[in-house]
């Protein structure tokens, strides 16, 4: 069941489903709860309601150099990967001819996150479409934007055991894999703050999502984070929910630092998502907006919650 796609959802990264199709407690898989029950409001439940667009890929060509086409985002991916390349030579690999053509490049962080499937792990990707993908690290095109001396000469990567995003040194000894992409670079968010019914909201014209401008700090458990949004009455709306991993990552900007986002008033804090770590069910996905690292942490952490909704 891929869910019902709402036709007017903009086809951008933040609106692509994460691939999660199960529900979880603080520690394990559970039967998806009904509205009003503990743990209602998870990623998989809103995906089934059509609040996101399921991934859709087709494979083109034959032989050793097939192309995987993202029907949603209109990106072409090389099916074949290059292994164990340092960052200085990664772009050179993408400059080569592949499948009889050129124009390939290293993916941005959001582009590489867009092929992660968080319904899987080891690797967190559909290996029928992307065979040969290891559960290891893949380079992106983005430099880490921190100006601190210790952070110089770093680039962002995605590790496909779970699909987390972080940064690492670009030294010659640091080797990762490369999967090249071709197509129009995915956009970052464009935000506008509005006051509705005395409450401030932030609208992203790229995804069409409406975000709560304020947020709850020090929410201690996964169930509490979910219910914080499910029970929210804000700006005259009651259909708020905890954002999934892709939605929250979509408001990051990897050319920025502290915060790594253009979202108005974003603090340098850690925010929670409704997406459980499929590999370790006692963890869920978070975005740390000082840098916009995307990583799983324990569901018992005490972190921030900012709710989201889609205008109908």
């Amino acid at each position: 069941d891929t869910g019902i796609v709402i036709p007017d959802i903009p086809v951008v990264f933040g609106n692509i489903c994460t691939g999660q199709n199960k529900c979880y407690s603080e520690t394990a898989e559970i039967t998806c709860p009904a509205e009003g029950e503990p743990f209602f409001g998870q990623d998989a439940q809103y995906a089934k309601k059509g609040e996101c667009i399921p991934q859709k890929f087709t494979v083109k060509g034959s032989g050793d150099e097939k192309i995987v086409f993202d029907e949603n985002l209109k990106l072409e991916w090389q099916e074949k990967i290059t292994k164990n390349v340092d960052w200085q030579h990664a772009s050179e690999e993408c400059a080569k001819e592949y499948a009889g053509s050129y124009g390939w490049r290293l993916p941005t962080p959001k582009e590489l996150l867009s092929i992660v499937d968080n319904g899987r792990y080891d690797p967190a990707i559909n290996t029928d479409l992307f065979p040969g993908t290891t559960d290891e690290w893949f380079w992106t095109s983005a430099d880490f934007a921190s100006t601190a001396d210790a952070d110089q000469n770093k680039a962002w990567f995605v590790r496909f055991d779970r699909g987390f995003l972080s940064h690492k040194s670009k030294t010659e000894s640091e080797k990762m894999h490369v999967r090249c992409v071709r197509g129009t670079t995915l956009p970052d968010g464009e935000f506008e703050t509005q006051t509705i019914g005395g409450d401030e909201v932030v609208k992203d014209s790229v995804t069409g999502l409406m975000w709560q401008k304020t947020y709850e700090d020090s929410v201690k458990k996964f169930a509490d984070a979910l219910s914080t949004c499910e029970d929210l009455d804000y700006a005259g709306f009651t259909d708020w929910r905890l954002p999934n991993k892709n939605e929250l990552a979509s408001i990051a900007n990897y050319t920025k630092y502290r915060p790594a986002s253009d979202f108005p008033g974003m603090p340098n804090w850690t925010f929670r998502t409704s997406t459980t770590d499929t590999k370790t069910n006692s963890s869920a996905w978070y975005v740390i907006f000082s840098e916009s690292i995307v990583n799983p942490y324990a569901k018992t952490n005490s972190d921030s919650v900012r709710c989201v909704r889609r205008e109908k």
Side-chain angles (χ1 to χ4, degrees):
D1 182 8
T2 58
I4 302 170
V5 177
I6 301 173
D8 60 354
I9 293 181
V11 185
V12 292
F13 163 65
N15 292 336
I16 302 301
C17 297
T18 68
Q20 189 145 109
N21 55 16
K22 297 178 181 178
C23 295
Y24 302 87
S25 68
E26 302 285 354
T27 58
E29 182 184 338
I30 59 173
T31 300
C32 286
E35 188 170 355
E37 294 180 345
F39 300 106
F40 179 81
Q42 299 189 45
D43 183 342
Q45 295 183 286
Y46 281 105
K48 289 179 180 178
K49 288 185 175 185
E51 291 287 342
C52 59
I53 301 170
Q55 289 182 331
K56 186 178 181 182
F57 299 98
T58 54
V59 179
K60 300 180 178 180
S62 58
D64 294 334
E65 295 190 344
K66 297 185 182 70
I67 293 172
V68 183
F69 180 62
D70 186 332
E71 299 279 359
N72 293 319
L73 301 177
K74 309 306 180 188
L75 294 173
E76 292 181 308
W77 292 90
Q78 294 182 4
E79 183 192 75
K80 186 178 180 181
I81 64 174
T82 302
K83 295 185 177 182
N84 301 320
V85 180
D86 62 54
W87 196 88
Q88 285 78 6
H89 292 92
S91 293
E92 294 177 11
E93 290 298 322
C94 291
K96 295 178 180 179
E97 180 182 3
Y98 180 90
S101 59
Y102 294 90
W104 303 96
R105 57 180 173 80
L106 281 175
T108 68
K110 291 179 184 179
E111 287 169 342
L112 200 51
L113 283 175
S114 75
I115 63 174
V116 169
D117 185 336
N118 284 113
R120 308 166 188 257
Y121 62 91
D122 291 339
I125 195 170
N126 186 335
T127 52
D128 291 334
L129 296 165
F130 296 96
T133 306
T134 71
D135 58 0
E136 297 172 331
W137 306 351
F138 284 73
W139 289 116
T140 78
S141 61
D143 289 330
F144 181 38
S146 169
T147 58
D149 289 344
D151 292 330
Q152 296 306 294
N153 202 39
K154 286 185 175 182
W156 288 92
F157 69 87
V158 173
R159 182 164 176 164
F160 274 87
D161 58 341
R162 299 172 174 177
F164 75 80
L165 174 72
S166 191
H167 47 77
K168 209 164 182 66
S169 172
K170 295 189 288 187
T171 58
E172 290 184 9
S173 62
E174 204 62 71
K175 294 184 174 14
M176 300 189 191
H177 306 329
V178 174
R179 170 166 274 127
C180 307
V181 71
R182 185 167 61 182
T184 303
T185 303
L186 300 184
D188 289 318
E190 296 182 6
F191 305 105
E192 178 185 0
T193 302
Q194 299 180 4
T195 300
I196 302 175
D199 294 321
E200 283 191 312
V201 299
V202 177
K203 293 185 177 181
D204 183 353
S205 61
V206 172
T207 60
L209 292 171
M210 176 188 289
W211 293 87
Q212 180 189 14
K213 176 67 183 298
T214 60
Y215 54 89
E216 296 294 327
D217 195 18
S218 300
V219 179
K220 293 184 178 180
K221 294 183 178 181
F222 185 55
D224 296 336
L226 292 165
S227 63
T228 293
C229 293
E230 291 298 321
D231 298 340
L232 182 64
D233 186 343
Y234 184 87
F237 302 107
T238 58
D239 58 346
W240 299 95
R241 55 186 171 81
L242 192 63
N244 68 34
K245 179 190 176 192
N246 286 355
E247 288 169 335
L248 195 58
S250 76
I251 64 176
N253 183 333
Y254 290 98
T255 67
K256 303 290 182 68
Y257 178 67
R258 299 190 67 83
S261 175
D262 295 313
F263 191 97
M266 177 66 76
N268 297 315
W269 296 346
T270 302
F271 283 80
R272 312 177 73 120
T273 81
S274 63
T275 309
T276 290
D277 177 13
T278 307
K279 183 174 183 177
T280 304
N281 297 167
S282 58
S283 296
W285 287 92
Y286 295 72
V287 179
I288 309 170
F289 278 100
S290 57
E291 304 174 8
S292 286
I293 286 174
V294 182
N295 214 355
Y297 293 106
K299 289 179 176 177
T300 53
N301 278 13
S302 181
D303 288 299
S304 301
V305 169
R306 173 173 274 133
C307 306
V308 71
R309 64 178 295 273
R310 185 174 298 283
E311 292 190 274
K312 305 298 192 291

